[in-house]
Amino acid sequence: MTVTHPETPPAAKTAPPAARPARRAPAARRRRAGTAGFHTGAVLLSALWLLPVALVLVTATRSFDDIAGNGLGALPHSFTLDGFAQAWTDGGQARALLNSILVTVPSVLVSLLLASMAAFALSRYDLPLRRTLLLVMLAGNLLPPQILLVPVSKLTEMLGLYDSLYAVIGVQVGFGVGFYVFVLHGFMRSIPPEIQQAAVIDGAGPWTIYSRIVMPLAKPALAALCALSFTWIFNDLLWSITVLRTDSKMPITASLIGLQGQYVSDWNVIAAGSVIAAAPTVIVFLRFQRHFVAGLNLGAVK
């Protein structure tokens, strides 16, 4: 006996295979157009941001006669590094750069060391008034530094540190530790307590847990803070001109002010001094870029 199957009604028939890609084509074109628009906008914004940097670099490598004869905004007709040599030697940038390094490196190391110890104690142990201490440290960073200029200046005079690099280091450490503790505290709290409990069972003390367990795990956060603190301290101008008086002790940011006064119309020398002042922070950021991005992502994914 032959079994016949009923014919499929017209409404139940599937659409031709060629119709589906046709419907997906507009969505794919919109995605490609959106991606192209995003990249175009990113390129334009990057070019807009890099344009002043390129102008400073070009000005620093032009001669004074070229700038005076053709104008600051004209295309370069010369290439020379005399502006860098003049800013480095006659402009005092060599000594100023050394002063900035002598202030920045100890300030960063001492600040992060003290902040990591305080954050470890506040995050891993049930200390009394720890929330109050964190709030006090955070509140100290909310005060505008301008209202503390006179008290800080008078305090350094009373302590006999006025007009010395030690005064600048002390001020940078004092005003930076609170913020660094707040950031490291949030990261160290996210470390699972089972790790510390296992170390305690194995006989590890607080110093061993801090130095051999917590600190290696906190390297991304420390690297991010190291890049940020180096940039902040190296580029600081306010506290340097507040607690220093002698020109030979000024860091490179304050030295740029004197360079502008000394070479009023020598734009190539001023631009060369700006490039010298910006180079260390760029080098540090490029060195810690990978750790800096990882530190910014901390806590984004639980």
Side-chain angles (χ1 to χ4, degrees):
M1 184 176 61
T2 304
V3 180
T4 58
H5 297 281
E7 186 178 354
T8 305
K13 291 182 179 180
T14 58
R20 295 179 181 176
R23 286 197 297 267
R24 290 197 297 266
R29 284 197 295 268
R30 285 195 297 268
R31 285 195 297 269
R32 288 195 295 268
T35 302
F38 172 78
H39 288 292
T40 302
V43 169
L44 292 177
L45 288 176
S46 301
L48 183 63
W49 184 84
L50 291 174
L51 182 61
V53 180
L55 179 60
V56 172
L57 290 174
V58 171
T59 303
T61 55
R62 295 174 64 184
S63 64
F64 173 77
D65 296 334
D66 182 11
I67 297 176
N70 300 301
L72 187 62
L75 293 176
H77 294 78
S78 62
F79 180 84
T80 178
L81 299 179
D82 293 340
F84 289 93
Q86 198 168 356
W88 184 258
T89 55
D90 300 337
Q93 294 294 92
R95 180 63 187 177
L97 181 61
L98 179 60
N99 292 337
S100 293
I101 294 176
L102 291 177
V103 168
T104 304
V105 174
S107 299
V108 172
L109 295 178
V110 174
S111 299
L112 293 182
L113 177 63
L114 296 177
S116 61
M117 291 181 177
F120 169 73
L122 293 173
S123 62
R124 309 306 299 180
Y125 296 97
D126 190 12
L127 301 177
L129 301 177
R130 60 177 181 175
R131 292 183 180 273
T132 304
L133 291 174
L134 284 173
L135 291 176
V136 170
M137 291 181 181
L138 181 61
N141 290 273
L142 300 179
L143 292 174
Q146 289 79 6
I147 67 175
L148 301 174
L149 295 181
V150 175
V152 169
S153 178
K154 295 296 183 182
L155 181 61
T156 55
E157 290 180 1
M158 293 172 55
L159 296 176
L161 299 175
Y162 188 75
D163 197 20
S164 67
L165 297 181
Y166 296 106
V168 185
I169 294 174
V171 170
Q172 296 293 353
V173 172
F175 283 93
V177 166
F179 175 75
Y180 306 148
V181 169
F182 184 78
V183 174
L184 291 175
H185 174 269
F187 173 77
M188 290 183 180
R189 282 192 61 187
S190 64
I191 298 177
E194 292 79 9
I195 298 178
Q196 182 174 351
Q197 293 171 3
V200 172
I201 293 174
D202 291 339
W207 177 255
T208 303
I209 297 174
Y210 162 78
S211 60
R212 308 183 75 175
I213 297 177
V214 175
M215 289 299 288
L217 294 175
K219 280 184 178 179
L222 290 172
L225 286 177
C226 180
L228 285 175
S229 61
F230 186 94
T231 302
W232 290 340
I233 297 173
F234 191 90
N235 292 333
D236 178 71
L237 172 66
L238 183 63
W239 294 118
S240 300
I241 61 178
T242 300
V243 300
L244 295 178
R245 183 65 56 86
T246 307
D247 293 338
S248 60
K249 297 179 181 179
M250 290 293 179
I252 197 164
T253 49
S255 177
L256 283 176
I257 300 177
L259 191 68
Q260 292 177 358
Q262 184 178 358
Y263 300 93
V264 179
S265 58
D266 294 347
W267 291 101
N268 58 331
V269 179
I270 298 174
S274 302
V275 173
I276 294 173
T281 55
V282 173
I283 294 173
V284 170
F285 180 79
L286 294 177
R287 172 62 181 84
F288 291 97
Q289 181 181 11
R290 178 171 58 89
H291 301 286
F292 181 75
V293 174
L296 293 178
N297 292 330
L298 293 176
V301 181
K302 294 293 183 181

PDB file of all heavy atoms in Angstrom, residues 147-180:
ATOM      1  N   ILE A 147      45.670  76.204  50.442  1.00  0.00           N
ATOM      2  CA  ILE A 147      45.443  76.701  51.799  1.00  0.00           C
ATOM      3  C   ILE A 147      46.523  76.207  52.769  1.00  0.00           C
ATOM      4  O   ILE A 147      46.561  76.653  53.915  1.00  0.00           O
ATOM      5  CB  ILE A 147      44.054  76.276  52.312  1.00  0.00           C
ATOM      6  CG1 ILE A 147      43.999  74.756  52.495  1.00  0.00           C
ATOM      7  CG2 ILE A 147      42.966  76.744  51.377  1.00  0.00           C
ATOM      8  CD1 ILE A 147      42.705  74.270  53.106  1.00  0.00           C
ATOM      9  N   LEU A 148      47.394  75.293  52.312  1.00  0.00           N
ATOM     10  CA  LEU A 148      48.439  74.746  53.177  1.00  0.00           C
ATOM     11  C   LEU A 148      49.818  75.281  52.843  1.00  0.00           C
ATOM     12  O   LEU A 148      50.803  74.842  53.443  1.00  0.00           O
ATOM     13  CB  LEU A 148      48.453  73.218  53.067  1.00  0.00           C
ATOM     14  CG  LEU A 148      47.151  72.497  53.454  1.00  0.00           C
ATOM     15  CD1 LEU A 148      47.271  71.017  53.152  1.00  0.00           C
ATOM     16  CD2 LEU A 148      46.832  72.714  54.918  1.00  0.00           C
ATOM     17  N   LEU A 149      49.908  76.216  51.913  1.00  0.00           N
ATOM     18  CA  LEU A 149      51.220  76.702  51.503  1.00  0.00           C
ATOM     19  C   LEU A 149      51.952  77.392  52.651  1.00  0.00           C
ATOM     20  O   LEU A 149      53.117  77.094  52.936  1.00  0.00           O
ATOM     21  CB  LEU A 149      51.070  77.665  50.318  1.00  0.00           C
ATOM     22  CG  LEU A 149      50.524  77.064  49.016  1.00  0.00           C
ATOM     23  CD1 LEU A 149      50.451  78.132  47.939  1.00  0.00           C
ATOM     24  CD2 LEU A 149      51.379  75.903  48.553  1.00  0.00           C
ATOM     25  N   VAL A 150      51.273  78.310  53.322  1.00  0.00           N
ATOM     26  CA  VAL A 150      51.916  79.042  54.416  1.00  0.00           C
ATOM     27  C   VAL A 150      52.229  78.120  55.594  1.00  0.00           C
ATOM     28  O   VAL A 150      53.353  78.156  56.123  1.00  0.00           O
ATOM     29  CB  VAL A 150      51.046  80.237  54.846  1.00  0.00           C
ATOM     30  CG1 VAL A 150      51.656  80.941  56.064  1.00  0.00           C
ATOM     31  CG2 VAL A 150      50.900  81.229  53.690  1.00  0.00           C
ATOM     32  N   PRO A 151      51.296  77.265  56.058  1.00  0.00           N
ATOM     33  CA  PRO A 151      51.655  76.358  57.160  1.00  0.00           C
ATOM     34  C   PRO A 151      52.825  75.437  56.835  1.00  0.00           C
ATOM     35  O   PRO A 151      53.695  75.209  57.690  1.00  0.00           O
ATOM     36  CB  PRO A 151      50.361  75.570  57.404  1.00  0.00           C
ATOM     37  CG  PRO A 151      49.280  76.451  56.914  1.00  0.00           C
ATOM     38  CD  PRO A 151      49.854  77.176  55.743  1.00  0.00           C
ATOM     39  N   VAL A 152      52.855  74.889  55.626  1.00  0.00           N
ATOM     40  CA  VAL A 152      53.952  74.001  55.254  1.00  0.00           C
ATOM     41  C   VAL A 152      55.269  74.767  55.203  1.00  0.00           C
ATOM     42  O   VAL A 152      56.313  74.275  55.656  1.00  0.00           O
ATOM     43  CB  VAL A 152      53.654  73.319  53.905  1.00  0.00           C
ATOM     44  CG1 VAL A 152      54.890  72.612  53.368  1.00  0.00           C
ATOM     45  CG2 VAL A 152      52.517  72.316  54.056  1.00  0.00           C
ATOM     46  N   SER A 153      55.249  75.970  54.669  1.00  0.00           N
ATOM     47  CA  SER A 153      56.469  76.771  54.622  1.00  0.00           C
ATOM     48  C   SER A 153      56.978  77.095  56.028  1.00  0.00           C
ATOM     49  O   SER A 153      58.184  76.980  56.305  1.00  0.00           O
ATOM     50  CB  SER A 153      56.205  78.062  53.841  1.00  0.00           C
ATOM     51  OG  SER A 153      57.356  78.883  53.812  1.00  0.00           O
ATOM     52  N   LYS A 154      56.082  77.476  56.920  1.00  0.00           N
ATOM     53  CA  LYS A 154      56.490  77.783  58.297  1.00  0.00           C
ATOM     54  C   LYS A 154      56.993  76.534  59.018  1.00  0.00           C
ATOM     55  O   LYS A 154      57.946  76.596  59.801  1.00  0.00           O
ATOM     56  CB  LYS A 154      55.306  78.386  59.058  1.00  0.00           C
ATOM     57  CG  LYS A 154      54.843  79.732  58.542  1.00  0.00           C
ATOM     58  CD  LYS A 154      55.920  80.791  58.699  1.00  0.00           C
ATOM     59  CE  LYS A 154      55.437  82.153  58.246  1.00  0.00           C
ATOM     60  NZ  LYS A 154      56.496  83.190  58.361  1.00  0.00           N
ATOM     61  N   LEU A 155      56.358  75.375  58.752  1.00  0.00           N
ATOM     62  CA  LEU A 155      56.777  74.142  59.399  1.00  0.00           C
ATOM     63  C   LEU A 155      58.174  73.734  58.967  1.00  0.00           C
ATOM     64  O   LEU A 155      58.989  73.289  59.783  1.00  0.00           O
ATOM     65  CB  LEU A 155      55.774  73.029  59.094  1.00  0.00           C
ATOM     66  CG  LEU A 155      56.052  71.669  59.732  1.00  0.00           C
ATOM     67  CD1 LEU A 155      56.041  71.783  61.255  1.00  0.00           C
ATOM     68  CD2 LEU A 155      55.022  70.634  59.263  1.00  0.00           C
ATOM     69  N   THR A 156      58.468  73.857  57.686  1.00  0.00           N
ATOM     70  CA  THR A 156      59.820  73.517  57.218  1.00  0.00           C
ATOM     71  C   THR A 156      60.864  74.465  57.806  1.00  0.00           C
ATOM     72  O   THR A 156      62.001  74.053  58.067  1.00  0.00           O
ATOM     73  CB  THR A 156      59.867  73.560  55.687  1.00  0.00           C
ATOM     74  OG1 THR A 156      59.413  74.835  55.219  1.00  0.00           O
ATOM     75  CG2 THR A 156      59.007  72.453  55.091  1.00  0.00           C
ATOM     76  N   GLU A 157      60.495  75.722  58.019  1.00  0.00           N
ATOM     77  CA  GLU A 157      61.430  76.649  58.659  1.00  0.00           C
ATOM     78  C   GLU A 157      61.681  76.261  60.110  1.00  0.00           C
ATOM     79  O   GLU A 157      62.822  76.312  60.595  1.00  0.00           O
ATOM     80  CB  GLU A 157      60.880  78.069  58.577  1.00  0.00           C
ATOM     81  CG  GLU A 157      60.887  78.665  57.177  1.00  0.00           C
ATOM     82  CD  GLU A 157      60.337  80.070  57.172  1.00  0.00           C
ATOM     83  OE1 GLU A 157      59.969  80.573  58.257  1.00  0.00           O
ATOM     84  OE2 GLU A 157      60.271  80.680  56.081  1.00  0.00           O
ATOM     85  N   MET A 158      60.622  75.855  60.822  1.00  0.00           N
ATOM     86  CA  MET A 158      60.783  75.453  62.215  1.00  0.00           C
ATOM     87  C   MET A 158      61.645  74.203  62.348  1.00  0.00           C
ATOM     88  O   MET A 158      62.402  74.059  63.304  1.00  0.00           O
ATOM     89  CB  MET A 158      59.416  75.226  62.850  1.00  0.00           C
ATOM     90  CG  MET A 158      58.566  76.480  63.006  1.00  0.00           C
ATOM     91  SD  MET A 158      56.884  76.100  63.560  1.00  0.00           S
ATOM     92  CE  MET A 158      57.219  75.176  65.053  1.00  0.00           C
ATOM     93  N   LEU A 159      61.515  73.280  61.397  1.00  0.00           N
ATOM     94  CA  LEU A 159      62.279  72.031  61.443  1.00  0.00           C
ATOM     95  C   LEU A 159      63.680  72.183  60.873  1.00  0.00           C
ATOM     96  O   LEU A 159      64.458  71.216  60.897  1.00  0.00           O
ATOM     97  CB  LEU A 159      61.529  70.933  60.677  1.00  0.00           C
ATOM     98  CG  LEU A 159      60.161  70.524  61.247  1.00  0.00           C
ATOM     99  CD1 LEU A 159      59.495  69.502  60.333  1.00  0.00           C
ATOM    100  CD2 LEU A 159      60.315  69.963  62.649  1.00  0.00           C
ATOM    101  N   GLY A 160      64.019  73.347  60.348  1.00  0.00           N
ATOM    102  CA  GLY A 160      65.346  73.554  59.773  1.00  0.00           C
ATOM    103  C   GLY A 160      65.542  72.906  58.422  1.00  0.00           C
ATOM    104  O   GLY A 160      66.683  72.660  58.014  1.00  0.00           O
ATOM    105  N   LEU A 161      64.446  72.625  57.713  1.00  0.00           N
ATOM    106  CA  LEU A 161      64.537  71.966  56.411  1.00  0.00           C
ATOM    107  C   LEU A 161      64.253  72.897  55.250  1.00  0.00           C
ATOM    108  O   LEU A 161      64.264  72.459  54.091  1.00  0.00           O
ATOM    109  CB  LEU A 161      63.550  70.785  56.352  1.00  0.00           C
ATOM    110  CG  LEU A 161      63.768  69.664  57.365  1.00  0.00           C
ATOM    111  CD1 LEU A 161      62.645  68.644  57.249  1.00  0.00           C
ATOM    112  CD2 LEU A 161      65.122  69.007  57.166  1.00  0.00           C
ATOM    113  N   TYR A 162      63.973  74.159  55.541  1.00  0.00           N
ATOM    114  CA  TYR A 162      63.606  75.088  54.469  1.00  0.00           C
ATOM    115  C   TYR A 162      64.773  75.253  53.491  1.00  0.00           C
ATOM    116  O   TYR A 162      65.937  75.276  53.884  1.00  0.00           O
ATOM    117  CB  TYR A 162      63.215  76.438  55.060  1.00  0.00           C
ATOM    118  CG  TYR A 162      62.644  77.405  54.048  1.00  0.00           C
ATOM    119  CD1 TYR A 162      61.354  77.240  53.576  1.00  0.00           C
ATOM    120  CD2 TYR A 162      63.406  78.455  53.559  1.00  0.00           C
ATOM    121  CE1 TYR A 162      60.820  78.111  52.639  1.00  0.00           C
ATOM    122  CE2 TYR A 162      62.888  79.334  52.623  1.00  0.00           C
ATOM    123  CZ  TYR A 162      61.596  79.154  52.162  1.00  0.00           C
ATOM    124  OH  TYR A 162      61.074  80.017  51.230  1.00  0.00           O
ATOM    125  N   ASP A 163      64.433  75.378  52.227  1.00  0.00           N
ATOM    126  CA  ASP A 163      65.397  75.548  51.139  1.00  0.00           C
ATOM    127  C   ASP A 163      66.331  74.350  51.030  1.00  0.00           C
ATOM    128  O   ASP A 163      67.545  74.491  50.829  1.00  0.00           O
ATOM    129  CB  ASP A 163      66.198  76.833  51.318  1.00  0.00           C
ATOM    130  CG  ASP A 163      66.895  77.252  50.020  1.00  0.00           C
ATOM    131  OD1 ASP A 163      66.465  76.801  48.948  1.00  0.00           O
ATOM    132  OD2 ASP A 163      67.881  78.010  50.105  1.00  0.00           O
ATOM    133  N   SER A 164      65.765  73.162  51.165  1.00  0.00           N
ATOM    134  CA  SER A 164      66.533  71.926  50.965  1.00  0.00           C
ATOM    135  C   SER A 164      65.652  70.913  50.260  1.00  0.00           C
ATOM    136  O   SER A 164      64.415  70.963  50.341  1.00  0.00           O
ATOM    137  CB  SER A 164      67.028  71.357  52.300  1.00  0.00           C
ATOM    138  OG  SER A 164      65.943  70.907  53.083  1.00  0.00           O
ATOM    139  N   LEU A 165      66.292  69.988  49.558  1.00  0.00           N
ATOM    140  CA  LEU A 165      65.545  68.957  48.855  1.00  0.00           C
ATOM    141  C   LEU A 165      64.822  68.025  49.820  1.00  0.00           C
ATOM    142  O   LEU A 165      63.810  67.405  49.452  1.00  0.00           O
ATOM    143  CB  LEU A 165      66.481  68.158  47.954  1.00  0.00           C
ATOM    144  CG  LEU A 165      67.166  68.941  46.819  1.00  0.00           C
ATOM    145  CD1 LEU A 165      68.042  68.007  45.993  1.00  0.00           C
ATOM    146  CD2 LEU A 165      66.153  69.644  45.936  1.00  0.00           C
ATOM    147  N   TYR A 166      65.317  67.913  51.057  1.00  0.00           N
ATOM    148  CA  TYR A 166      64.641  67.073  52.049  1.00  0.00           C
ATOM    149  C   TYR A 166      63.243  67.609  52.355  1.00  0.00           C
ATOM    150  O   TYR A 166      62.318  66.828  52.633  1.00  0.00           O
ATOM    151  CB  TYR A 166      65.466  66.994  53.327  1.00  0.00           C
ATOM    152  CG  TYR A 166      66.802  66.328  53.150  1.00  0.00           C
ATOM    153  CD1 TYR A 166      67.976  67.083  53.153  1.00  0.00           C
ATOM    154  CD2 TYR A 166      66.901  64.957  52.976  1.00  0.00           C
ATOM    155  CE1 TYR A 166      69.209  66.474  52.990  1.00  0.00           C
ATOM    156  CE2 TYR A 166      68.123  64.342  52.806  1.00  0.00           C
ATOM    157  CZ  TYR A 166      69.283  65.101  52.818  1.00  0.00           C
ATOM    158  OH  TYR A 166      70.497  64.489  52.649  1.00  0.00           O
ATOM    159  N   ALA A 167      63.086  68.913  52.309  1.00  0.00           N
ATOM    160  CA  ALA A 167      61.777  69.493  52.554  1.00  0.00           C
ATOM    161  C   ALA A 167      60.791  69.097  51.460  1.00  0.00           C
ATOM    162  O   ALA A 167      59.626  68.755  51.740  1.00  0.00           O
ATOM    163  CB  ALA A 167      61.884  71.019  52.646  1.00  0.00           C
ATOM    164  N   VAL A 168      61.238  69.133  50.218  1.00  0.00           N
ATOM    165  CA  VAL A 168      60.363  68.748  49.110  1.00  0.00           C
ATOM    166  C   VAL A 168      60.009  67.268  49.204  1.00  0.00           C
ATOM    167  O   VAL A 168      58.855  66.867  48.983  1.00  0.00           O
ATOM    168  CB  VAL A 168      61.026  69.060  47.754  1.00  0.00           C
ATOM    169  CG1 VAL A 168      60.063  68.771  46.609  1.00  0.00           C
ATOM    170  CG2 VAL A 168      61.486  70.512  47.707  1.00  0.00           C
ATOM    171  N   ILE A 169      60.980  66.429  49.561  1.00  0.00           N
ATOM    172  CA  ILE A 169      60.720  64.994  49.699  1.00  0.00           C
ATOM    173  C   ILE A 169      59.713  64.746  50.809  1.00  0.00           C
ATOM    174  O   ILE A 169      58.756  63.960  50.654  1.00  0.00           O
ATOM    175  CB  ILE A 169      62.030  64.236  49.971  1.00  0.00           C
ATOM    176  CG1 ILE A 169      62.963  64.330  48.757  1.00  0.00           C
ATOM    177  CG2 ILE A 169      61.758  62.780  50.314  1.00  0.00           C
ATOM    178  CD1 ILE A 169      64.333  63.737  48.989  1.00  0.00           C
ATOM    179  N   GLY A 170      59.881  65.419  51.948  1.00  0.00           N
ATOM    180  CA  GLY A 170      58.941  65.244  53.054  1.00  0.00           C
ATOM    181  C   GLY A 170      57.534  65.673  52.695  1.00  0.00           C
ATOM    182  O   GLY A 170      56.552  64.998  53.051  1.00  0.00           O
ATOM    183  N   VAL A 171      57.409  66.773  51.987  1.00  0.00           N
ATOM    184  CA  VAL A 171      56.083  67.251  51.588  1.00  0.00           C
ATOM    185  C   VAL A 171      55.435  66.275  50.606  1.00  0.00           C
ATOM    186  O   VAL A 171      54.246  65.942  50.733  1.00  0.00           O
ATOM    187  CB  VAL A 171      56.197  68.656  50.967  1.00  0.00           C
ATOM    188  CG1 VAL A 171      54.871  69.061  50.334  1.00  0.00           C
ATOM    189  CG2 VAL A 171      56.595  69.669  52.026  1.00  0.00           C
ATOM    190  N   GLN A 172      56.181  65.795  49.627  1.00  0.00           N
ATOM    191  CA  GLN A 172      55.620  64.870  48.646  1.00  0.00           C
ATOM    192  C   GLN A 172      55.199  63.554  49.298  1.00  0.00           C
ATOM    193  O   GLN A 172      54.148  62.993  48.960  1.00  0.00           O
ATOM    194  CB  GLN A 172      56.648  64.600  47.538  1.00  0.00           C
ATOM    195  CG  GLN A 172      57.026  65.817  46.713  1.00  0.00           C
ATOM    196  CD  GLN A 172      55.897  66.339  45.858  1.00  0.00           C
ATOM    197  OE1 GLN A 172      54.829  65.734  45.749  1.00  0.00           O
ATOM    198  NE2 GLN A 172      56.115  67.477  45.231  1.00  0.00           N
ATOM    199  N   VAL A 173      56.005  63.062  50.231  1.00  0.00           N
ATOM    200  CA  VAL A 173      55.642  61.826  50.934  1.00  0.00           C
ATOM    201  C   VAL A 173      54.404  62.047  51.798  1.00  0.00           C
ATOM    202  O   VAL A 173      53.462  61.238  51.802  1.00  0.00           O
ATOM    203  CB  VAL A 173      56.828  61.325  51.782  1.00  0.00           C
ATOM    204  CG1 VAL A 173      56.401  60.161  52.674  1.00  0.00           C
ATOM    205  CG2 VAL A 173      57.975  60.898  50.886  1.00  0.00           C
ATOM    206  N   GLY A 174      54.381  63.155  52.528  1.00  0.00           N
ATOM    207  CA  GLY A 174      53.249  63.409  53.414  1.00  0.00           C
ATOM    208  C   GLY A 174      51.937  63.558  52.693  1.00  0.00           C
ATOM    209  O   GLY A 174      50.894  63.075  53.169  1.00  0.00           O
ATOM    210  N   PHE A 175      51.945  64.196  51.538  1.00  0.00           N
ATOM    211  CA  PHE A 175      50.703  64.423  50.806  1.00  0.00           C
ATOM    212  C   PHE A 175      50.347  63.282  49.866  1.00  0.00           C
ATOM    213  O   PHE A 175      49.252  63.283  49.299  1.00  0.00           O
ATOM    214  CB  PHE A 175      50.794  65.723  50.008  1.00  0.00           C
ATOM    215  CG  PHE A 175      50.617  66.950  50.849  1.00  0.00           C
ATOM    216  CD1 PHE A 175      51.716  67.598  51.375  1.00  0.00           C
ATOM    217  CD2 PHE A 175      49.352  67.439  51.130  1.00  0.00           C
ATOM    218  CE1 PHE A 175      51.565  68.734  52.156  1.00  0.00           C
ATOM    219  CE2 PHE A 175      49.192  68.572  51.910  1.00  0.00           C
ATOM    220  CZ  PHE A 175      50.294  69.217  52.429  1.00  0.00           C
ATOM    221  N   GLY A 176      51.237  62.322  49.674  1.00  0.00           N
ATOM    222  CA  GLY A 176      50.929  61.221  48.775  1.00  0.00           C
ATOM    223  C   GLY A 176      50.545  59.923  49.443  1.00  0.00           C
ATOM    224  O   GLY A 176      49.825  59.105  48.858  1.00  0.00           O
ATOM    225  N   VAL A 177      51.001  59.711  50.679  1.00  0.00           N
ATOM    226  CA  VAL A 177      50.779  58.432  51.350  1.00  0.00           C
ATOM    227  C   VAL A 177      49.290  58.140  51.524  1.00  0.00           C
ATOM    228  O   VAL A 177      48.843  57.003  51.344  1.00  0.00           O
ATOM    229  CB  VAL A 177      51.508  58.418  52.712  1.00  0.00           C
ATOM    230  CG1 VAL A 177      51.025  57.251  53.566  1.00  0.00           C
ATOM    231  CG2 VAL A 177      53.008  58.301  52.494  1.00  0.00           C
ATOM    232  N   GLY A 178      48.498  59.145  51.881  1.00  0.00           N
ATOM    233  CA  GLY A 178      47.076  58.914  52.127  1.00  0.00           C
ATOM    234  C   GLY A 178      46.363  58.337  50.920  1.00  0.00           C
ATOM    235  O   GLY A 178      45.607  57.368  51.039  1.00  0.00           O
ATOM    236  N   PHE A 179      46.597  58.897  49.747  1.00  0.00           N
ATOM    237  CA  PHE A 179      45.954  58.391  48.531  1.00  0.00           C
ATOM    238  C   PHE A 179      46.453  57.003  48.180  1.00  0.00           C
ATOM    239  O   PHE A 179      45.673  56.125  47.785  1.00  0.00           O
ATOM    240  CB  PHE A 179      46.206  59.358  47.379  1.00  0.00           C
ATOM    241  CG  PHE A 179      45.679  58.877  46.056  1.00  0.00           C
ATOM    242  CD1 PHE A 179      44.330  58.919  45.787  1.00  0.00           C
ATOM    243  CD2 PHE A 179      46.537  58.367  45.099  1.00  0.00           C
ATOM    244  CE1 PHE A 179      43.837  58.469  44.574  1.00  0.00           C
ATOM    245  CE2 PHE A 179      46.062  57.920  43.884  1.00  0.00           C
ATOM    246  CZ  PHE A 179      44.703  57.972  43.625  1.00  0.00           C
ATOM    247  N   TYR A 180      47.751  56.774  48.324  1.00  0.00           N
ATOM    248  CA  TYR A 180      48.294  55.465  47.989  1.00  0.00           C
ATOM    249  C   TYR A 180      47.754  54.381  48.931  1.00  0.00           C
ATOM    250  O   TYR A 180      47.481  53.252  48.497  1.00  0.00           O
ATOM    251  CB  TYR A 180      49.823  55.492  48.053  1.00  0.00           C
ATOM    252  CG  TYR A 180      50.453  56.568  47.206  1.00  0.00           C
ATOM    253  CD1 TYR A 180      51.639  57.180  47.595  1.00  0.00           C
ATOM    254  CD2 TYR A 180      49.863  56.989  46.025  1.00  0.00           C
ATOM    255  CE1 TYR A 180      52.220  58.178  46.829  1.00  0.00           C
ATOM    256  CE2 TYR A 180      50.434  57.989  45.251  1.00  0.00           C
ATOM    257  CZ  TYR A 180      51.608  58.576  45.666  1.00  0.00           C
ATOM    258  OH  TYR A 180      52.173  59.568  44.899  1.00  0.00           O
TER     259      TYR A 180
END
